Amino acid sequence: MHRRIRALRLQAAGLTAALLAAFTLAAVPAPKPTPAVAGDLCGGRCLDILPPGENGNATLADILGNRVFGTRPAHTDDQLAPYANLAAAYPGLTDASLRSFFNDSSFGVPADQVASTSSPRSDVTIVRDKATGVPHVTGTTRYGTEFGAGYAAAQDRLWVMDLFRHVGRGQLSGFAGGAAANRQLEQSFWQAAPYTEQELQQQIDAIASQGPRAQQALTDAHAYLDGINQYINESYQGRYFPGEYDLTGHVDPITNAGGIEPFKLTDLVALAAVIGALFGSGGGGELASAQVKAAAEAQYGRSAGDAVWSSLREADDPEAVQTLHDGQRFPYAQPPADPQGVAMPDAGSVVPEQLIYNATGSATQSTTKAPGVLPGNLLTAKHGMSNALVVSGRYTDDGHPVAVFGPQTGYFAPQLLMLEELQGPGISARGAAFAGLSFYVELGRGQDYAWSATSAGQDITDTYAVPLCTTDGSPVTLASNSYLWHGRCLPLERLEQQDAWAPTTADSTPKGSYSLVMYRSNYGLVTARGTVGGAPVAFTSLRSTYRHEVDSIIGFQMLNDPGVVHDPASFQQAAQNIDYTFNWFYADSRDTAYYNSGSNPVRAPGVDPGLPVKAEPAYEWLGFDPATNTARYTPPAEHPQSVDQDYYVSWNNKQATDYATAGFGNGSVHRANLLDARVKSLIGSGRKVTRVALTQAMESAALTDLRAEDVLPELLQVIGTAPVTDPALAAAVQKLTTWRSDGGQRRETSAGSHTYADADAIRTMDAWWPLLADGVFRPGLGDGLFAALTGALQINESPSGGQTGPTSGGVSANESIPHKGSAFQYGWWSYLDKDLRGVLGGQVSGPLAQPYCGGGSVAACRTVLLTTLKSALAQTPAQVYPGDGDCSAGDQWCADTIIQRPLGGVTDAKSTWQNRPTYQQVVQFQNHR
């Protein structure tokens, strides 16, 4: 499987014909005894899971076999069913049955479970287990260990690694095809992290000067690349490389002409930029916030409008669920009482920066028949990631902490992450890492501890209004490409990427080309232009981690080193060396811990991080140096952190009191409430918490509709203030009431039924939610403010990705991705909750500045709710779930399903919806060094 079956390469024209291949077995090294591994102190109580399967490489013959006969290479999807089956089985879960839904993540492989043993060098051994095919890499030297990590990564994820090094450079279309989605994706990444090849190298050179640990990391990376490139050479010569190279025209399937480009260090920087942009940044929504503020002032007047804007922003909402709940305060990015240097754009003046130039051929077409290898809006559509449930040993069955945690990185085939175990000098870990960056385990376990992360998203990105100028005395316009920097008129730096593509077997998009152009100033990348007080400006985005994409390598190296991490303090020290915005969680046999990482810039006094700022020295980050994009950062002691709190939960929610949230909508109702309520109940029940109980809490939340649990009770309370006389409405209200009593879950009637219990109520809620938001808020907000608010925060994030409600202009927060699993992160849940409680006369901390539903009248509000409910009931199932290329119209269960988005030629079955991490650990360590 990993020394692939050699296949006679087939002509592309034969893809739809019968499978024609001749197979001969590759030479298999003689089996060796299972290598000795470092001490494992988890006592068999560490588990993990990563669907669909470890094997992400398929030859052309494998791909054709999948298309024609439905066959799959071994370990392609063997973790998908256990992952999916937990949804139906979790109520009856036992300690013994946990292993039916998770892998044993103990170190090493028992002798009778060894599937294969290979040694690509004399100083490293790669053992793969029978159960999942995970590579267990053991090196006698540091170089050999990292070489083996690279070799195993290429075996399992070579095509994915190649895709993402091209995504990170804005070069996906030329590599994988000109499909509209491919172009949209490369455009969004070029906007977020454009670099010249020299600048990628400069980031490597910069880290090389940061001391022995950084130098070791680069040595490790070189060895890792050597392993990747040896596998590329061997698989090319042996003709068992991924078949996608044939289908995209990089290798001729008959003659083997062509090739696979070797990997180099700058590729790792490009890959890191992708991961950082997707999962480790925060802020940057200041223009959208300003447009909400301006619209609110236009609707209500300046003073009342500012109060409305502030209440909708919910920067530090007192009702928001927090990861730290012991009274800790960590002030950061708070809106000042008297903001200084605010640069409000003139109404209607903002225009997005032109990105595409010189489009030819199919580049002028916005849609294509070919779907693309990834969702085009993978970066631009807001999506939440990851959760964590960690309970102190004071409340567990055996006195040792329990953790159930992992990242939500989407669902792809093969997965963006891969599993591995690395054992060698200074390295001892098992877990998951992003393909192409797996020279260290990024989330996983060590000898006597485990760690994981959720995306934090605190504000490390600011928007500056940079005055435009001319050097020849000509009038300044929005088209001017020079800007003022400390009194000097400097030219904007032009960063250009040329992309061209031609049709292939994999992507039929006709020939086309274009140039992607970003302009850069000392204040960051130009994202839009407009006027402030009538003067032309460029609005720029300045991210603290830009030009520092690989600096976090040191923190990950430390997490893998058993000589470094051994307790909460050393764990937090390692996490401090990660610049991206993550919430880090830790558990060993004695303690739990938490730390929020990120390069948090120190802003000038009075600057509001939630609004565009004047590009003047007085409002720059303190200590800002544009040559290196460095500044003063908040010291580690000012980052949210904790040791041995009774429990921790995180689902991309607010971290701590006074730690302001970037963006809108992090208020009284958040999906983290689902976790917090369940874990708090476990703690408060007096029963000892077990791995099973915590897993059940996670899965119960994973199947629950947040709206049903936290907003529907208030909707029903308002409706119930008088009898419902309309029979259809009364029946719908009864079904909604029953669904809420049943737990408000989106769960099959039985495993594999493909039909939800309470299906009618679920469909009603799906149809009702966007109508509710519109009916309740538009009359008070007015069309302008309502539209601006949908540009800052999407109304809904349903499991199907549908029922979004109205969008605003060409760019809206209401973008969605279907079949992605993650749901209920972004939406107007808090707005409805606070407003309805206010209407009902309840106590509301941090209320909205104005009443909305029925203008604050219970009777009028009830009329709005029933009117919108009636409109929802009039929608057919096909209207609520309109269908797509994977599901027929009206198929509710299918619309919600998780689909492992194929990144290559092999596809996987749909699975029932769960709102759950992609990679997940269940751990309870028994001993400590």
Side-chain angles (χ1 to χ4, degrees), residues 480-495:
S480 299
N481 280 328
S482 296
Y483 70 102
L484 285 177
W485 165 259
H486 293 196
R488 293 183 295 154
C489 189
L490 303 178
L492 289 167
E493 186 178 3
R494 181 183 173 102
L495 300 170

Side-chain angles (χ1 to χ4, degrees), residues 224-241:
Y224 179 78
L225 291 171
D226 288 347
I228 292 173
N229 290 330
Q230 178 164 314
Y231 180 79
I232 289 174
N233 182 63
E234 291 176 359
S235 64
Y236 177 74
Q237 297 299 326
R239 301 182 75 159
Y240 52 86
F241 53 84

Side-chain angles (χ1 to χ4, degrees), residues 311 314-325 653-654 656-658 661 665-673 676 680 710 714 829-838 842-848:
S311 68
E314 296 182 319
D316 192 18
D317 190 83
E319 295 183 332
V321 63
Q322 298 179 167
T323 297
L324 301 186
H325 54 250
N653 54 287
K654 184 173 170 58
T657 301
D658 294 339
T661 299
N666 197 335
S668 57
V669 177
H670 189 284
R671 66 180 182 177
N673 294 37
D676 191 69
K680 186 181 293 183
D710 282 350
E714 292 140 12
W829 352 106
S830 288
Y831 299 161
L832 264 296
D833 170 68
K834 284 179 179 286
D835 189 56
L836 291 174
R837 284 191 289 132
Q843 180 67 34
V844 182
S845 298
L848 299 184

Side-chain angles (χ1 to χ4, degrees), residues 115-197:
S116 67
T117 304
S118 61
S119 293
R121 283 174 49 92
S122 61
D123 53 357
V124 64
T125 302
I126 303 173
V127 175
R128 291 185 182 267
D129 60 82
K130 292 179 180 178
T132 59
V134 169
H136 303 257
V137 179
T138 303
T140 58
T141 67
R142 179 100 178 193
Y143 179 92
T145 306
E146 292 295 359
F147 183 97
Y151 192 90
Q155 286 181 313
D156 289 350
R157 293 291 190 278
L158 179 57
W159 174 249
V160 174
M161 292 155 53
D162 221 341
L163 281 178
F164 276 91
R165 66 169 165 174
H166 286 88
V167 170
R169 285 184 169 86
Q171 297 175 338
L172 182 61
S173 60
F175 178 72
N182 289 351
R183 286 183 271 138
Q184 182 185 357
L185 186 61
E186 70 185 357
Q187 291 161 20
S188 65
F189 274 98
W190 186 249
Q191 287 175 308
Y195 295 112
T196 66
E197 198 67 20

Side-chain angles (χ1 to χ4, degrees), residues 372-624:
V373 292
L374 285 157
N377 58 354
L378 181 66
L379 177 61
T380 56
K382 288 186 177 181
H383 49 286
M385 295 74 67
S386 321
N387 70 30
L389 305 84
V390 183
V391 175
S392 166
R394 301 192 305 273
Y395 303 97
T396 66
D397 55 340
D398 64 0
H400 301 304
V402 177
V404 177
F405 46 23
Q408 219 300 342
T409 56
Y411 294 96
F412 302 95
Q415 195 51 255
L416 306 185
L417 296 166
M418 61 171 285
L419 292 175
E420 64 180 355
E421 179 186 350
L422 303 179
Q423 301 289 351
I427 301 175
S428 182
R430 174 199 162 112
F434 286 100
L437 297 171
S438 57
F439 45 98
Y440 303 132
V441 170
E442 292 167 336
L443 305 127
R445 54 153 304 194
Q447 294 178 5
D448 56 1
Y449 61 92
W451 75 96
S452 190
T454 67
S455 293
Q458 73 262 23
D459 199 340
I460 64 167
T461 307
D462 284 351
T463 297
Y464 285 90
V466 183
L468 295 172
C469 59
T470 59
T471 56
D472 59 3
S474 59
V476 179
T477 69
L478 291 185
S480 299
N481 280 328
S482 296
Y483 70 102
L484 285 177
W485 165 259
H486 293 196
R488 293 183 295 154
C489 189
L490 303 178
L492 289 167
E493 186 178 3
R494 181 183 173 102
L495 300 170
E496 185 168 351
Q497 175 61 52
Q498 303 283 342
D499 288 305
W501 56 88
T504 66
T505 302
D507 188 330
S508 61
T509 305
K511 186 177 180 180
S513 66
Y514 57 31
S515 299
L516 300 180
V517 176
M518 285 294 290
Y519 284 96
R520 185 169 62 194
S521 73
N522 285 343
Y523 289 106
L525 300 165
V526 177
T527 62
R529 301 191 187 213
T531 60
V532 173
V537 301
F539 291 104
T540 64
S541 177
L542 185 63
R543 169 169 58 94
S544 67
T545 51
Y546 183 65
R547 297 192 182 184
H548 298 275
E549 309 292 357
V550 294
D551 291 12
S552 298
I553 191 174
I554 296 173
F556 289 111
Q557 182 195 72
M558 295 171 73
L559 288 169
N560 281 242
D561 189 342
V564 171
V565 175
H566 47 80
D567 60 16
S570 56
F571 154 75
Q572 290 177 335
Q573 185 176 18
Q576 290 166 18
N577 284 277
I578 296 173
D579 294 340
Y580 288 124
T581 59
F582 288 109
N583 301 304
W584 294 97
F585 297 88
Y586 168 93
D588 62 24
S589 67
R590 302 181 299 208
D591 299 296
T592 61
Y594 164 81
Y595 186 84
N596 165 256
S597 70
S599 292
N600 295 355
V602 178
R603 295 175 174 88
V607 166
D608 189 335
L611 290 170
V613 183
K614 293 178 181 178
E616 298 175 8
Y619 310 116
E620 294 170 5
W621 294 343
L622 300 188
F624 178 58

